[in-house]
Amino acid sequence: MATNTTTEVAVLGGGCFWCLEAVYLQVRGVTHVESGYSGGQSGAPTYEQVCGGGTGHAEVVRVEFDPALINYRDLLEIFFTIHDPTTLNRQGNDCGTQYRSVIFYQSPEQEATARQVMAEMANVWDAPIVTELQPAPAYYKAEDYHQDYFRQHPLQGYCAFVVEPKVAKFRKIFSARLK
């Protein structure tokens, strides 16, 4: 008997895409995660261009998920737990608009859910949330060497000292959501 599985997409930016990708790859119900760029003016940007800050693009992850196993709200709750949505254009030592906190919604339903979750999270954080909420613009896949970066380079300095703590925090808080 064939099953009819429909996936949905979430596009999220919360600092370096390696961090978000590493977490969402471990979430039960997530079927695919891809690092990329979105929200800028130039077409087909490169990593060097985005890092230079002149394209307007943010580093993002494109998360495909099965809504029968995990819903968009749950993905956003993970998002607001694994990055700091109160720092403008910055996550830790990563500074610039390419590291901004942003949700690119795919539908009016996603927009409404994001607004609700953001309002709830405003009561959790001590500082105002600066996460941008925008309709999904064009998305560009990042270069192949950025895909599944943490899994391929767990001992690389940035991965060991920045990505791993975020993955550990996710695993501790959301253990019921692990694959």
Side-chain angles (χ1 to χ4, degrees), residues 30-53:
V30 169
T31 58
H32 184 72
V33 183
E34 183 176 272
S35 291
Y37 315 109
S38 196
Q41 301 82 25
S42 64
T46 65
Y47 180 68
E48 289 74 22
Q49 291 169 333
V50 173
C51 281

Side-chain angles (χ1 to χ4, degrees), residues 4 28 33 44 47-48 59 150 163 173:
N4 183 12
R28 188 177 65 248
V33 183
Y47 180 68
E48 289 74 22
E59 289 191 12
F150 177 66
V163 181
I173 296 172

Side-chain angles (χ1 to χ4, degrees), residues 10-70:
V11 177
L12 308 167
C16 176
F17 46 32
W18 298 341
C19 296
L20 295 178
E21 180 192 55
V23 167
Y24 284 111
L25 281 170
Q26 297 185 32
V27 177
R28 188 177 65 248
V30 169
T31 58
H32 184 72
V33 183
E34 183 176 272
S35 291
Y37 315 109
S38 196
Q41 301 82 25
S42 64
T46 65
Y47 180 68
E48 289 74 22
Q49 291 169 333
V50 173
C51 281
T55 66
H57 287 287
E59 289 191 12
V60 298
V61 289
R62 184 178 184 279
V63 180
E64 291 181 30
F65 63 99
D66 180 346
L69 299 175
I70 189 165

Side-chain angles (χ1 to χ4, degrees), residues 91-150:
Q91 288 296 304
N93 290 329
D94 293 330
C95 299
T97 58
Q98 66 270 29
Y99 300 114
R100 67 188 180 269
S101 178
V102 62
I103 299 168
F104 292 118
Y105 58 86
Q106 310 292 313
S107 67
E109 294 80 18
Q110 282 191 357
E111 178 185 16
T113 299
R115 287 189 188 284
Q116 183 178 25
V117 171
M118 288 172 69
E120 293 167 6
M121 289 294 143
N123 297 319
V124 172
W125 290 89
D126 292 333
I129 290 179
V130 297
T131 303
E132 297 175 12
L133 181 60
Q134 300 177 10
Y139 164 84
Y140 303 93
K141 180 182 176 185
E143 295 81 355
D144 287 343
Y145 67 90
H146 288 296
Q147 307 306 322
D148 204 15
Y149 194 86
F150 177 66

Side-chain angles (χ1 to χ4, degrees), residues 44 49 72 90:
Q49 291 169 333
Y72 186 66
R90 172 185 211 118

